Coordinates of all heavy atoms in Angstrom, one line a residue:
P1 N 37.2 -20.1 47.7 CA 37.5 -20.8 48.9 C 38.3 -19.9 49.9 O 39.2 -19.1 49.4 CB 38.4 -22.0 48.5 CG 38.1 -22.1 47.0 CD 37.8 -20.8 46.5
P2 N 38.1 -19.9 51.2 CA 38.8 -19.0 52.1 C 40.3 -19.1 52.1 O 41.0 -18.1 52.1 CB 38.2 -19.4 53.5 CG 36.8 -20.0 53.1 CD 37.0 -20.7 51.8
G3 N 40.8 -20.4 52.0 CA 42.2 -20.5 52.0 C 42.9 -19.9 50.8 O 43.9 -19.3 50.9
L4 N 42.3 -20.1 49.6 CA 42.8 -19.5 48.4 C 42.7 -18.0 48.4 O 43.6 -17.3 48.0 CB 42.1 -20.1 47.2 CG 42.5 -19.7 45.8 CD1 44.0 -20.1 45.6 CD2 41.6 -20.3 44.7
A5 N 41.6 -17.5 48.9 CA 41.4 -16.0 49.0 C 42.4 -15.4 49.9 O 43.0 -14.3 49.6 CB 40.0 -15.7 49.5
Y6 N 42.7 -16.0 51.0 CA 43.7 -15.5 51.9 C 45.1 -15.5 51.3 O 45.8 -14.5 51.4 CB 43.7 -16.2 53.3 CG 44.6 -15.6 54.3 CD1 44.2 -14.5 55.0 CD2 45.8 -16.2 54.5 CE1 45.1 -13.9 55.9 CE2 46.7 -15.6 55.5 CZ 46.3 -14.5 56.2 OH 47.2 -13.9 57.1
A7 N 45.4 -16.6 50.7 CA 46.8 -16.8 50.2 C 47.1 -15.8 49.1 O 48.2 -15.3 48.9 CB 47.0 -18.2 49.7
M8 N 46.0 -15.5 48.3 CA 46.2 -14.6 47.1 C 45.8 -13.1 47.5 O 45.8 -12.2 46.7 CB 45.3 -15.0 46.0 CG 45.5 -16.4 45.5 SD 47.2 -16.7 44.9 CE 47.2 -15.7 43.4
K9 N 45.6 -12.9 48.9 CA 45.4 -11.5 49.4 C 44.1 -10.9 48.9 O 43.9 -9.7 48.9 CB 46.6 -10.6 49.2 CG 47.9 -11.2 49.7 CD 49.0 -10.1 49.6 CE 50.3 -10.7 50.0 NZ 50.4 -11.1 51.4
L10 N 43.2 -11.7 48.4 CA 41.9 -11.2 47.9 C 41.0 -10.6 49.0 O 40.1 -9.8 48.7 CB 41.2 -12.3 47.1 CG 41.9 -12.9 45.9 CD1 41.1 -14.1 45.4 CD2 42.2 -11.9 44.8
H11 N 41.3 -11.0 50.2 CA 40.4 -10.6 51.3 C 40.7 -9.1 51.6 O 40.0 -8.5 52.4 CB 40.7 -11.4 52.5 CG 42.1 -11.2 53.1 ND1 43.2 -11.8 52.4 CD2 42.6 -10.6 54.2 CE1 44.3 -11.4 53.1 NE2 44.0 -10.7 54.2
E12 N 41.8 -8.6 51.1 CA 42.2 -7.2 51.5 C 41.2 -6.2 51.1 O 41.2 -5.1 51.7 CB 43.6 -6.9 50.8 CG 44.7 -7.7 51.4 CD 46.0 -7.4 50.7 OE1 46.0 -6.7 49.7 OE2 47.1 -7.8 51.3
H13 N 40.3 -6.5 50.2 CA 39.3 -5.5 49.8 C 37.9 -6.1 50.1 O 36.9 -5.7 49.4 CB 39.4 -5.2 48.3 CG 40.8 -4.6 48.0 ND1 41.2 -3.4 48.4 CD2 41.9 -5.2 47.4 CE1 42.5 -3.2 48.0 NE2 42.9 -4.3 47.4
Q14 N 37.8 -6.9 51.1 CA 36.5 -7.5 51.5 C 36.3 -7.4 53.0 O 37.3 -7.2 53.7 CB 36.4 -9.0 51.1 CG 36.7 -9.3 49.6 CD 35.5 -9.0 48.7 OE1 34.7 -9.8 48.4 NE2 35.4 -7.7 48.3
K15 N 35.0 -7.5 53.4 CA 34.7 -7.3 54.8 C 34.0 -8.5 55.4 O 34.0 -8.7 56.6 CB 33.9 -6.0 55.1 CG 34.7 -4.8 54.7 CD 33.8 -3.5 55.0 CE 34.5 -2.2 54.6 NZ 33.6 -1.0 54.7
H16 N 33.3 -9.2 54.6 CA 32.4 -10.3 55.0 C 32.6 -11.6 54.3 O 32.9 -11.6 53.1 CB 30.9 -9.8 54.9 CG 30.6 -8.5 55.5 ND1 30.3 -8.4 56.9 CD2 30.5 -7.3 55.0 CE1 30.0 -7.1 57.2 NE2 30.2 -6.4 56.0
L17 N 32.4 -12.7 55.0 CA 32.5 -14.0 54.4 C 31.3 -14.8 55.0 O 31.1 -14.9 56.2 CB 33.8 -14.7 54.8 CG 34.0 -16.2 54.6 CD1 33.8 -16.6 53.1 CD2 35.3 -16.7 55.1
T18 N 30.6 -15.4 54.0 CA 29.5 -16.3 54.4 C 29.8 -17.7 54.0 O 29.9 -18.0 52.8 CB 28.2 -15.9 53.7 OG1 27.9 -14.5 54.0 CG2 27.0 -16.7 54.1
L19 N 29.9 -18.6 54.9 CA 30.4 -20.0 54.7 C 29.2 -20.9 54.2 O 28.8 -21.8 54.9 CB 31.1 -20.6 55.9 CG 32.4 -19.9 56.3 CD1 32.9 -20.5 57.7 CD2 33.4 -20.1 55.2
D20 N 28.7 -20.6 53.0 CA 27.6 -21.4 52.5 C 28.2 -22.6 51.8 O 27.4 -23.5 51.5 CB 26.7 -20.6 51.6 CG 27.4 -20.2 50.3 OD1 28.6 -19.7 50.3 OD2 26.9 -20.5 49.2
R21 N 29.5 -22.6 51.5 CA 30.2 -23.8 50.9 C 29.4 -24.4 49.7 O 29.1 -25.5 49.6 CB 30.3 -24.9 52.0 CG 31.3 -24.5 53.1 CD 31.1 -25.3 54.3 NE 31.4 -26.7 54.1 CZ 32.6 -27.3 54.1 NH1 33.7 -26.6 54.4 NH2 32.7 -28.6 53.9
H22 N 29.1 -23.5 48.7 CA 28.3 -23.9 47.6 C 28.9 -24.8 46.6 O 28.2 -25.5 45.9 CB 27.7 -22.6 46.9 CG 28.6 -21.6 46.6 ND1 28.9 -20.5 47.4 CD2 29.4 -21.4 45.5 CE1 29.8 -19.7 46.8 NE2 30.1 -20.3 45.6
L23 N 30.2 -24.7 46.4 CA 30.9 -25.5 45.4 C 32.2 -26.0 45.9 O 33.0 -25.3 46.5 CB 31.2 -24.6 44.1 CG 30.0 -24.4 43.1 CD1 30.4 -23.3 42.1 CD2 29.7 -25.7 42.4
F24 N 32.5 -27.3 45.6 CA 33.8 -27.9 45.9 C 34.7 -27.5 44.8 O 34.5 -28.0 43.6 CB 33.6 -29.4 46.0 CG 34.7 -30.2 46.6 CD1 35.1 -30.0 47.9 CD2 35.4 -31.1 45.8 CE1 36.1 -30.7 48.5 CE2 36.5 -31.8 46.4 CZ 36.8 -31.6 47.7
S25 N 35.7 -26.7 45.1 CA 36.6 -26.2 44.0 C 37.6 -27.2 43.6 O 38.6 -27.4 44.2 CB 37.2 -24.9 44.5 OG 38.0 -24.3 43.5
I26 N 37.4 -27.8 42.5 CA 38.2 -28.9 42.0 C 39.4 -28.4 41.1 O 39.2 -27.5 40.3 CB 37.4 -29.9 41.1 CG1 36.3 -30.5 42.0 CG2 38.3 -31.0 40.5 CD1 35.2 -31.2 41.2
H27 N 40.5 -28.9 41.4 CA 41.7 -28.6 40.6 C 42.3 -29.9 40.1 O 42.4 -30.9 40.9 CB 42.8 -27.9 41.3 CG 42.4 -26.4 41.6 ND1 43.4 -25.4 41.4 CD2 41.3 -25.8 41.9 CE1 42.8 -24.2 41.7 NE2 41.5 -24.5 42.0
A28 N 42.6 -30.0 38.8 CA 43.1 -31.3 38.2 C 44.5 -31.1 37.6 O 44.7 -30.1 36.9 CB 42.1 -31.8 37.1
A29 N 45.4 -32.0 37.9 CA 46.7 -32.0 37.3 C 46.7 -32.9 36.1 O 46.3 -34.0 36.1 CB 47.7 -32.5 38.3

């Protein structure tokens, strides 16, 4: 997910993002 990638600084070594939205990233408490 873009928000998670940005917050964890994973984008620092990436150049392109394709918003195909293939999976709804579920987190359960």
Side-chain angles (χ1 to χ4, degrees):
L4 185 59
Y6 184 78
M8 302 301 288
K9 304 185 185 301
L10 299 174
H11 68 286
E12 292 180 347
H13 304 287
Q14 303 285 267
K15 296 178 181 178
H16 304 277
L17 167 60
T18 303
L19 293 173
D20 70 308
R21 293 164 60 89
H22 51 262
L23 281 168
F24 192 66
S25 187
I26 299 166
H27 286 222

